[in-house]
């Protein structure tokens, strides 16, 4: 049995080495190579300048906004789904859009938000002023939040679903109002799901680049667009690797901090 367990772990180890360890090692190596192919610390000197510092701050700010919007929408939605008699239908409606390719959904929003899109055409029919919604930071926040809302809802829903019904009933029997039960019982017991939802939203939101390009244009510049620009446009692989390496370190730090807080909460 032990030999079988050792054999079964081999594919996982190979996957880790090929797709995680080797790419990170390559990033570290290329981060010390300048644009002329020489060993240098130039990339690290550049990334510590105010220009890149502002880019990281902007990326964190947008990721925080996306996470907050997603959480504000997802928590009440998860609560409604948990205690709805149409739970299965609502879950199906929630999950089906996640099967659609991200690029297709992004182009669908372009059709909605563009100058000649469906929204502006509808406003024009009613003789209302039209708006330039595409290529704005607001459009970027809207689309990015829409992408992550289903995942946040599912994680919070699973936490709410795991709350024993007798705990809610006991709170009511002891005289607690529905608002007090929600505040004192449901919210604390769904903390784990909320934390996981924040991780699932905040960490990838730091490095969005496709949505940023297609929806926000040049209005939003974050870490993801900077990495894409360095690799594909400028072809400065050293600087792109350095930015990516700092992003990985920051993501790992976020995971460690949120996990430690979660563990403390359990204890």
């Amino acid at each position: 049995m032990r030999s079988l367990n050792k054999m079964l772990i081999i594919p996982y180890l190979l996957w880790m080495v090929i797709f995680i360890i080797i790419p990170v090692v390559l990033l570290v190596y290329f981060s010390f190579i300048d644009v002329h192919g020489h060993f240098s610390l130039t990339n690290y000197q550049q990334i510590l300048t105010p220009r890149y510092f502002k880019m990281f701050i902007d990326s964190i700010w947008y990721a925080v906004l996306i996470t907050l919007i997603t959480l504000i929408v997802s928590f009440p939605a998860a609560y409604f789904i948990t205690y709805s008699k149409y739970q299965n239908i609502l879950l199906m409606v929630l999950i089906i859009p996640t099967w659609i390719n991200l690029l297709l959904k992004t182009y669908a929003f372009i059709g909605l938000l563009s100058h000649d899109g469906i929204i502006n055409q509808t406003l024009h029919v009613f003789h209302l002023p039209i708006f330039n919604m595409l290529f704005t930071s607001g459009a970027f926040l809207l689309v990015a939040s829409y992408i992550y809302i289903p995942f946040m809802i599912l994680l919070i829903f699973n936490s709410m679903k795991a709350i024993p019904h007798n705990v809610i009933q006991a709170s009511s029997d002891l005289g607690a109002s529905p608002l007090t039960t929600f505040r004192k019982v449901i919210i604390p017991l769904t903390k784990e799901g909320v934390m996981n939802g924040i991780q699932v939203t905040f960490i990838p939101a730091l490095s969005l680049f496709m949505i940023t390009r297609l929806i926000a244009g040049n209005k939003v510049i974050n870490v993801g667009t900077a990495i894409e620009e360095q690799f594909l446009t400028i072809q400065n692989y050293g600087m792109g690797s350095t930015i990516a390496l700092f992003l990985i370190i920051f993501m790992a730090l976020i995971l460690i901090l949120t996990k430690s807080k979660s563990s403390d909460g359990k204890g």
Side-chain angles (χ1 to χ4, degrees):
M1 188 66 182
R2 288 183 179 179
S3 60
L4 178 61
N5 290 337
K6 290 180 181 179
M7 291 292 291
L8 291 174
I9 202 174
I10 290 176
Y12 173 73
L13 292 176
L14 287 174
W15 186 87
M16 288 279 291
V17 170
I18 295 172
F19 295 106
I20 296 180
I21 297 176
I22 292 178
V24 171
V25 170
L26 289 174
L27 286 177
V28 173
Y29 170 75
F30 281 109
S31 69
F32 290 101
I33 305 299
D34 63 17
V35 69
H36 303 292
H38 303 302
F39 182 85
S40 173
L41 296 176
T42 304
N43 297 322
Y44 288 94
Q45 292 172 349
Q46 290 183 8
I47 205 170
L48 296 176
T49 58
R51 173 191 172 191
Y52 284 100
F53 180 76
K54 182 181 183 301
M55 180 195 67
F56 274 100
I57 294 298
D58 288 343
S59 299
I60 294 171
W61 171 243
Y62 279 110
V64 168
L65 288 177
I66 292 168
T67 305
L68 283 176
I69 294 169
T70 305
L71 181 60
I72 290 170
V73 174
S74 299
F75 200 97
Y79 181 82
F80 177 77
I81 293 173
T82 302
Y83 298 101
S84 172
K85 62 179 179 179
Y86 304 108
Q87 184 181 111
N88 292 333
I89 297 175
L90 293 173
L91 286 174
M92 183 178 66
V93 171
L94 177 69
I95 293 171
I96 286 176
T98 64
W99 298 348
I100 302 173
N101 182 271
L102 178 59
L103 186 60
L104 292 177
K105 288 191 282 189
T106 304
Y107 276 114
F109 270 102
I110 292 175
L112 288 171
L113 302 175
S114 63
H115 185 271
D116 298 320
I118 295 174
I119 295 177
N120 277 331
Q121 288 181 9
T122 304
L123 292 174
H124 180 70
V125 168
F126 291 99
H127 303 288
L128 297 172
I130 62 176
F131 301 94
N132 292 320
M133 294 171 283
L134 199 60
F135 304 135
T136 62
S137 57
F140 168 68
L141 292 172
L142 171 66
V143 177
S145 300
Y146 165 81
I147 297 300
Y148 294 116
I149 279 173
F151 305 103
M152 176 83 81
I153 289 177
L154 287 173
L155 288 167
I156 298 175
F157 166 78
N158 288 333
S159 291
M160 288 186 179
K161 192 70 175 176
I163 300 175
H165 182 71
N166 58 1
V167 173
I168 307 296
Q169 189 65 42
S171 176
S172 177
D173 292 342
L174 291 171
S177 66
L179 181 61
T180 302
T181 300
F182 180 79
R183 187 166 52 90
K184 295 288 188 179
V185 178
I186 295 176
I187 290 180
L189 292 178
T190 55
K191 181 181 178 182
E192 187 72 17
V194 171
M195 292 296 293
N196 290 333
I198 289 173
Q199 287 181 357
V200 167
T201 304
F202 180 79
I203 292 176
L206 285 169
S207 56
L208 287 170
F209 70 92
M210 183 178 67
I211 297 174
T212 310
R213 290 294 191 193
L214 294 176
I215 300 296
N218 293 321
K219 300 293 184 180
V220 176
I221 303 296
N222 64 0
V223 177
T225 54
I227 294 172
E228 180 205 21
E229 185 178 72
Q230 293 293 336
F231 275 105
L232 300 181
T233 306
I234 304 175
Q235 294 188 343
N236 185 351
Y237 302 120
M239 194 63 209
S241 299
T242 307
I243 299 172
L245 195 60
F246 270 76
L247 177 62
I248 291 171
I249 293 171
F250 183 75
M251 287 179 172
L253 183 63
I254 294 296
L255 282 173
I256 292 170
L257 289 176
T258 52
K259 183 172 179 57
S260 65
K261 289 181 179 180
S262 177
S263 299
D264 293 343
K266 286 182 180 179

